[in-house]
């Protein structure tokens, strides 16, 4: 099946919720709870302390989803601004890889245990079915395309990430068995980049071309994140990002931005097959460097936005309706929005919008679609029941 309305601003998402995981993975947590925290929460010294979230990962997820929303808002404006398109190109180089690496990192414990499979279904499959249907209907009625089909095999707009996350998560046990998982994942991605026959079903091009970042995350350890958070790395990242912006500015009229989406083969982009191998490897290198620069500047402490990292899936899936409505109803057609001040206002609005969509009130309203319990749909797991009886002392 072909994607008749393939958006040029795909990216990326990312992003599984970190709070009570809807996607089958425990959220980011720190290994210990301090005495101050125990006192603040009223936990008795002898009691088992509640696990605390790691602010670094929540901050990273929130900042990445803000960049995702900004990138989508820039899409209708960037054609008339070389500076904005250069910034857009640089952001697209690392924001999805960062999300995917974090997703892989918190998928390390995934196995075929029944409770984890249930969470994979309720936190990934169910949201995909609901939002793929919702986006298709939205395009049909609000976008004026009565022929827009509802097809679960042809992810539309943002929903490709849920398909990819499902496939990656489901194959996690296999990657743990492979002797050289990262080289194998890179080889599969390179083969995909030169295979136009793959087609658009389930957006397999992106599933495979982004796969190495997920596998890399699977085998990362806490000390790897500590390495990029050192002061010297933070200082070095400033000239690196500046150089990336200069290269992006130079490349705008010389390079097809579609390379950064990883959704097409080289032949589909009008390039020879070998260009797929060269460009994919080059972009992987750039993505890893810029992702390290991004992680280097992610705060380690708790800020006002840290708690919003638990709601990034909500911000990711919901902000797309506003972006598409803006395109359908001509909100970007106003000339003043294409001036520097207008572009700045659009950027601020996108950041504020996705921030609001990550808040707890929004999570409560839409939890039925992203974190449904669905106990009625599954058989009772005997092992889980035994664990609950053991905890209750029965």
């Amino acid at each position: 099946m072909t994607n008749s309305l393939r958006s040029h601003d795909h990216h990326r998402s990312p992003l599984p919720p970190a709070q009570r995981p809807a996607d089958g993975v425990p959220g980011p947590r720190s290994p210990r709870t301090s005495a101050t925290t125990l006192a603040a929460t009223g936990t008795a010294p002898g009691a088992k302390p509640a696990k605390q979230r790691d602010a670094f990962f929540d901050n990273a997820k929130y900042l990445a989803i803000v960049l995702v929303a900004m990138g989508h808002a820039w899409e209708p404006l960037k054609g008339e601004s070389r500076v904005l398109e250069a910034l857009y190109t640089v952001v697209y180089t690392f924001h999805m890889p960062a999300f995917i690496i974090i997703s892989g990192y918190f998928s390390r414990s995934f196995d075929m245990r029944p409770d984890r499979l249930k969470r994979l279904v309720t936190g990934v499959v169910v949201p995909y079915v609901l939002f793929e249907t919702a986006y298709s209907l939205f395009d049909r009625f609000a976008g004026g395309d009565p022929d827009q089909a509802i097809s679960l095999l042809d992810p539309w707009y943002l929903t490709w990430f849920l398909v990819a996350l499902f496939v990656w998560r489901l194959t996690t046990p296999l990657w743990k068995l492979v002797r050289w998982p990262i080289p194998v994942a890179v080889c599969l991605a390179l083969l995909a980049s030169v295979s136009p026959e793959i087609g658009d079903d389930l957006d397999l091009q992106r599933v495979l071309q982004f796969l190495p970042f997920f596998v890399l995350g699977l085998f990362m350890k806490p000390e790897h994140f500590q390495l990029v958070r050192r002061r010297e790395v933070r200082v070095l990242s400033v000239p690196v990002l500046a150089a990336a912006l200069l290269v992006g500015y130079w490349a705008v009229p010389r390079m097809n931005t579609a390379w950064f989406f990883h959704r097409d083969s080289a032949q589909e982009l009008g390039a020879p097959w070998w260009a797929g191998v060269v460009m994919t490897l080059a972009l992987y290198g750039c993505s890893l460097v810029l992702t390290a620069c991004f992680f280097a500047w992610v705060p380690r402490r708790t800020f006002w936005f840290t708690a919003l990292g638990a709601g990034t899936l909500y911000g990711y899936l919901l902000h797309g309706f506003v972006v598409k409505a803006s395109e359908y109803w001509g909100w970007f057609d106003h000339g003043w929005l294409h001036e520097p001040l207008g572009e700045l206002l659009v950027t601020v609005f996108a950041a504020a919008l996705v921030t609001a969509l990550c808040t707890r009130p929004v999570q409560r309203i839409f939890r039925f679609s992203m974190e449904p319990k669905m106990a009625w749909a599954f058989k009772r797991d005997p092992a889980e029941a035994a664990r609950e009886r053991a905890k209750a002392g029965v």
Side-chain angles (χ1 to χ4, degrees):
M1 305 193 56
T2 57
N3 195 340
S4 57
L5 285 176
R6 303 175 77 190
S7 173
H8 293 284
D9 51 358
H10 284 61
H11 56 283
R12 51 223 168 322
S13 87
L15 27 143
Q19 167 191 354
R20 227 189 124 231
D23 53 12
V25 192
R29 303 179 187 278
S30 60
R32 67 177 99 177
T33 303
S34 66
T36 304
T37 304
L38 291 175
T41 57
T43 304
K48 184 178 179 180
K51 292 183 179 180
Q52 299 299 306
R53 302 180 62 88
D54 189 328
F56 170 79
F57 290 104
D58 277 338
N59 291 339
K61 291 171 64 180
Y62 167 75
L63 295 174
I65 197 62
V66 168
L67 291 175
V68 167
M70 287 179 176
H72 285 156
W74 292 340
E75 175 68 25
L77 306 175
K78 66 183 180 65
E80 300 179 22
S81 172
R82 186 171 176 178
V83 172
L84 188 62
E85 186 153 6
L87 187 59
Y88 174 91
T89 299
V90 172
V91 167
Y92 265 68
T93 305
F94 70 87
H95 70 348
M96 276 313 294
F99 255 128
I100 295 169
I101 287 173
I102 293 175
S103 298
Y105 181 73
F106 286 105
S107 296
R108 294 172 301 164
S109 63
F110 181 83
D111 52 28
M112 295 300 178
R113 211 171 72 182
D115 59 326
R116 288 176 177 151
L117 288 174
K118 290 177 185 177
R119 288 204 300 260
L120 183 62
V121 171
T122 58
V124 178
V125 176
V126 172
Y128 172 69
V129 172
L130 293 178
F131 278 87
E132 174 66 19
T133 303
Y135 270 115
S136 298
L137 292 174
F138 187 72
D139 181 59
R140 181 183 297 180
F141 296 107
D145 183 8
D147 297 324
Q148 174 61 41
I150 300 175
S151 172
L152 299 182
L153 294 178
D154 194 7
W156 194 84
Y157 196 36
L158 305 176
T159 56
W160 73 268
F161 182 73
L162 295 176
V163 172
L165 187 61
F166 176 77
V167 174
W168 297 332
R169 186 72 45 72
L170 206 58
T171 59
T172 292
L174 178 62
W175 293 112
K176 293 179 181 178
L177 295 175
V178 176
R179 188 181 294 274
W180 302 290
I182 296 176
V184 170
V186 170
C187 288
L188 288 175
L190 294 178
L191 288 173
S193 72
V194 299
S195 303
E197 299 82 5
I198 289 179
D200 297 326
D201 287 355
L202 298 179
D203 242 344
L204 283 179
Q205 277 289 355
R206 274 193 285 204
V207 172
L208 293 173
Q209 290 194 40
F210 277 114
L211 174 64
F213 298 108
F214 181 83
V215 177
L216 174 63
L218 279 177
F219 293 93
M220 289 187 70
K221 299 178 180 179
E223 51 264 33
H224 295 139
F225 290 98
Q226 292 293 339
L227 286 175
V228 298
R229 290 160 60 179
R230 294 181 301 174
R231 184 177 182 276
E232 53 267 33
V233 177
R234 189 178 299 113
V235 172
L236 182 61
S237 67
V238 175
V240 170
L241 287 171
L245 288 171
L246 290 175
V247 173
Y249 185 84
W250 172 85
V252 164
R254 298 174 174 85
M255 184 177 175
N256 187 347
T257 309
W259 284 107
F260 294 88
F261 303 146
H262 294 291
R263 68 169 179 229
D264 299 296
S265 65
Q267 296 91 324
E268 290 173 301
L269 295 176
W273 70 267
W274 56 264
V277 176
V278 173
M279 286 297 298
T280 301
L281 288 175
L283 287 175
Y284 283 169
C286 294
S287 296
L288 289 176
V289 171
L290 292 180
T291 298
C293 293
F294 170 72
F295 283 144
W297 280 96
V298 171
R300 309 177 193 183
R301 297 185 293 110
T302 299
F303 288 86
W304 64 267
F305 55 80
T306 301
L308 301 179
T312 50
L313 183 65
Y314 292 82
Y316 176 76
L317 290 174
L318 294 173
H319 86 278
F321 289 103
V322 179
V323 173
K324 281 300 177 184
S326 301
E327 295 179 8
Y328 294 154
W329 300 332
W331 296 350
F332 287 108
D333 295 340
H334 300 286
W336 65 273
L337 288 178
H338 297 260
E339 300 295 330
L341 180 59
E343 293 168 355
L344 178 61
L345 290 175
V346 168
T347 301
V348 172
F349 175 79
L353 171 67
V354 78
T355 297
L357 293 177
C358 291
T359 57
R360 290 190 180 278
V362 174
Q363 292 180 45
R364 285 195 291 268
I365 294 172
F366 290 97
R367 183 162 287 135
F368 75 94
S369 62
M370 300 191 207
E371 299 181 79
K373 296 190 180 297
M374 295 182 61
W376 55 269
F378 301 103
K379 295 180 180 179
R380 181 69 169 168
D381 178 21
E384 183 179 357
R387 285 193 295 270
E388 290 179 358
R389 288 195 298 270
K391 288 181 181 179
V394 178

